[in-house]
Amino acid sequence: MEIFVPKTETEKQKAVAGEIRERFRRENRRPLVFARTYGCQQNEHDTEKMLGLALMCGYEKTGDPANADLIIVNTCAIREHAEKRTFSCTGAYKKLKEQNRELIILFCGCMAQETGIAEKIKRSYPYIDAVVGTDSNHRLPEIIQNVMQTRKRAYLVNSLPHSDFGVIAEDIPALRESEYKAWVSVMYGCNNYCTYCIVPYVRGRERSRRYEDVVAEVKQLVENGYKDITLLGQNVNSYSGGVSFARLLEKCASFGGEYRLRFMTSHPKDASNELMDVMAANPNICKHFHLPVQSGSDKVLEAMNRRYTRNTYLEKVAYLREKIPDVTLTSDIICGFPGETEEDFEQTLSLISQVRFDMLYTFIYSPRPGTSAAARGDQIPYEEKLRRFEKLSALQLGITLERNGRHTGKVLRVLSEGKKTARSEGGTLVATDTDIPAGTFADAYITAAHPANLEAKIIRP
Ligand code: 5AD
Ligand code: SF4
């Protein structure tokens, strides 16, 4: 199956965008688009691309849904909590539709692709004009035109089984949120089937952009003055667009001038020594590794289908720290996976004490429809999951404080985000004494450390 959307298709969408723009011009309208994004960076970037297409159609961006002529809701399905929030927020748009019959509301992103959601919207959310699965984002102009011309509701959702879908559309102009920070997708989808995770079902099969396309995009961004570029993928280590991910990263870090290159997310089973060596050798690559471990218990790791053990994980961390002693290491943990005993949980606590991550993203296990873990009979009661979550968070708080403390009295290179805030190479927030323009680098002397940020004096702007 061809995964690349043919050029003729993207050209067609651009032509349709031209027709819409022309219609607005004839009607003397200056239409506005509002986007609301839930979920991960991948989704943030998808929104940037959909906004880019909306701009081609003649829309201008607004921060206020009440003024909008087009509302894009880009949804996340990773945990039930995100879904509930999405539906309650989307409910507020009903009123807007009553006030403005011309308003177009699109329901996009991961939830759109989830089993049963399109049906639910059909039944209970009549003011939503179209449900757009992630494979159809590039068809935004056509979708908008259809709604305008017919006022018929549309459901562009892939019905192929499991992850047997997924395309790549190149040449979609992104309306980037920032002038110095950029996301670049290198691959989409996931084939890992961790037993708790809905991603393979909603994002489809793993597929990689071509090496040349990624490199050209990064080069252009660097030339345009971008200073903080993140290569994105659900599992960047299995990048297969012509070279290994390590070589891709190396190439992307090789352009002139000072800039930062990051990547998200790595699966521990595929995080290679080659990748760690490239990180160690290259000044433009941030010395930050996000390596989600999920659990410290081998039994739970196996039940999650993670395909590494506590020991092999620890070996990777040891290699990384040997190569880059000051590396910033962050991770994800799930509390209360089905069948997780107190002993398993203790194993996670001990792993955290042993590794001493700079930061942890801790999640309460949330059963997702269609995943095998959700069907297990040994679900943990919510109160117990919460207790574990709180215990873990308290343990990590002390470790983060200690890890942040190691910077006190030292000089760190920071990238300003404006308003007296900046980011260290490891991604830690730094409150600075002077205001320096967003997107510029400076040397900062760290004067204090807190769990959530550092404080610093700018010594060399
Ligand atoms: N419940 C809780 N957390 C989850 N994650 C993924 N699926 C679930 C789920 N069903 C977490 C994992 C992953 C992060 C992005 O979200 O820790 O690394
Ligand atoms: Fe959420 Fe995963 Fe979709 Fe990102 S890819 S928006 S985390 S479900």
Side-chain angles (χ1 to χ4, degrees):
M1 215 189 295
E2 175 60 34
I3 56 166
F4 290 97
V5 171
K7 224 181 159 60
T8 46
E9 171 66 27
T10 26
E11 290 303 319
K12 182 183 127 192
Q13 295 302 330
K14 286 179 188 169
V16 174
E19 288 169 24
I20 300 173
R21 207 168 51 234
E22 183 52 29
R23 174 174 170 167
F24 285 139
R25 202 191 54 78
R26 269 200 323 272
E27 294 173 357
N28 235 340
R29 283 176 64 190
R30 293 177 65 85
L32 299 174
V33 54
F34 170 82
R36 172 90 206 238
T37 311
Y38 300 87
C40 65
Q41 291 90 345
Q42 194 82 248
N43 249 25
E44 298 276 353
H45 187 42
D46 282 352
T47 296
E48 292 183 334
K49 286 191 265 189
M50 285 192 279
L51 283 173
L53 287 168
L55 246 65
M56 274 173 68
C57 297
Y59 291 89
E60 278 173 52
K61 197 176 147 189
T62 172
D64 182 4
N67 296 332
D69 300 278
L70 170 66
I71 295 180
I72 297 172
V73 188
N74 198 2
T75 63
C76 170
I78 199 100
R79 281 170 292 272
E80 197 186 358
H81 178 69
E83 296 197 353
K84 284 200 172 134
R85 234 163 31 109
T86 307
F87 274 126
S88 67
C89 288
T90 308
Y93 301 145
K94 183 178 177 188
K95 265 220 164 58
L96 300 179
K97 186 73 167 232
E98 283 163 5
Q99 291 157 5
N100 173 13
R101 302 307 302 173
E102 297 292 311
L103 171 63
I104 297 176
I105 304 177
L106 306 180
F107 191 95
C108 312
C110 296
M111 276 174 80
Q113 195 56 55
E114 197 182 325
T115 319
I117 294 287
E119 278 304 311
K120 179 169 172 170
I121 288 173
K122 207 179 228 172
R123 257 194 338 264
S124 315
Y125 295 82
Y127 49 92
I128 289 174
D129 295 286
V131 179
V132 184
T134 47
D135 261 5
S136 301
N137 287 351
H138 64 280
R139 294 170 61 193
L140 203 79
E142 180 192 345
I143 296 165
I144 293 171
Q145 193 178 51
N146 265 333
V147 176
M148 282 176 149
Q149 289 176 349
T150 68
R151 282 317 309 186
K152 276 207 187 110
R153 305 178 75 194
Y155 303 90
L156 293 99
V157 177
N158 238 305
S159 56
L160 288 166
H162 292 316
S163 61
D164 204 12
F165 61 92
V167 296
I168 295 179
E170 292 290 349
D171 296 324
I172 305 292
L175 176 65
R176 296 192 187 271
E177 188 73 41
S178 159
E179 284 173 359
Y180 62 92
K181 245 197 226 184
W183 317 112
V184 175
S185 295
V186 304
M187 47 95 62
Y188 304 88
C190 184
N191 289 350
N192 280 322
Y193 290 100
C194 299
T195 55
Y196 51 81
C197 188
I198 198 167
V199 169
Y201 306 95
V202 294
R203 283 270 174 179
R205 68 182 147 168
E206 213 162 82
R207 57 214 183 264
S208 297
R209 289 179 69 197
R210 297 178 200 99
Y211 171 72
E212 308 80 61
D213 291 339
V214 176
V215 170
E217 185 174 344
V218 172
K219 185 162 184 274
Q220 187 70 58
L221 286 166
V222 174
E223 285 170 5
N224 291 351
Y226 278 83
K227 301 292 179 212
D228 193 314
I229 299 169
T230 307
L231 304 186
L232 291 178
Q234 257 82 28
N235 177 18
V236 290
N237 308 115
S238 46
Y239 175 77
S240 63
V243 298
S244 69
F245 180 68
R247 296 275 87 85
L248 175 72
L249 191 67
E250 189 174 43
K251 179 70 184 175
C252 290
S254 70
F255 306 114
E258 185 177 14
Y259 66 97
R260 287 175 169 176
L261 191 64
R262 309 175 179 280
F263 56 92
M264 293 207 98
T265 294
S266 295
H267 193 302
K269 82 176 159 57
D270 313 305
S272 64
N273 290 357
E274 185 196 18
L275 178 60
M276 296 175 193
D277 294 344
V278 165
M279 179 185 267
N282 208 307
N284 281 343
I285 303 173
C286 289
K287 307 292 175 273
H288 173 199
F289 223 108
H290 182 64
L291 202 57
V293 64
Q294 313 297 359
S295 167
S297 148
D298 280 340
K299 189 197 90 195
V300 175
L301 287 172
E302 195 180 343
M304 288 175 164
N305 190 30
R306 292 291 286 175
R307 289 174 279 171
Y308 54 84
T309 62
R310 177 190 176 103
N311 255 337
T312 52
Y313 184 88
L314 290 173
E315 278 166 24
K316 301 238 172 179
V317 170
Y319 185 85
L320 182 64
R321 286 201 167 136
E322 182 198 316
K323 290 281 157 177
I324 313 167
D326 201 33
V327 69
T328 297
L329 186 60
T330 56
S331 197
D332 294 344
I333 299 274
I334 297 179
C335 303
F337 183 82
E340 182 187 74
T341 61
E342 191 60 34
E343 206 187 331
D344 294 321
F345 178 60
E346 292 289 334
Q347 292 272 312
T348 299
L349 294 174
S350 88
L351 180 108
I352 289 167
S353 301
Q354 195 177 337
V355 175
R356 313 199 84 71
F357 294 105
D358 291 86
M359 191 162 58
L360 264 190
Y361 298 88
T362 310
F363 305 104
I364 290 178
Y365 169 72
S366 168
R368 305 312 295 130
T371 62
S372 66
R376 285 177 58 149
D378 47 0
Q379 303 290 326
I380 312 274
Y382 183 77
E383 296 67 39
E384 179 55 23
K385 291 194 275 193
L386 186 63
R387 187 191 68 80
R388 293 180 192 179
F389 171 84
E390 281 168 354
K391 192 160 178 190
L392 227 150
S393 306
L395 170 65
Q396 182 58 38
L397 193 71
I399 298 174
T400 298
L401 187 58
E402 173 207 302
R403 292 288 297 163
N404 281 351
R406 82 189 194 279
H407 301 300
T408 310
K410 294 200 179 119
V411 175
L412 292 185
R413 193 77 177 146
V414 297
L415 179 62
S416 172
E417 300 199 330
K419 297 190 186 137
K420 291 191 176 178
T421 58
R423 293 259 170 205
S424 73
E425 190 178 332
T428 309
L429 209 59
V430 183
T432 59
D433 64 331
T434 29
D435 209 357
I436 40 176
T440 49
F441 285 103
D443 286 339
Y445 178 79
I446 307 300
T447 52
H450 308 287
N453 73 323
L454 302 169
E455 281 178 48
K457 276 198 173 81
I458 298 294
I459 52 173
R460 241 189 322 266

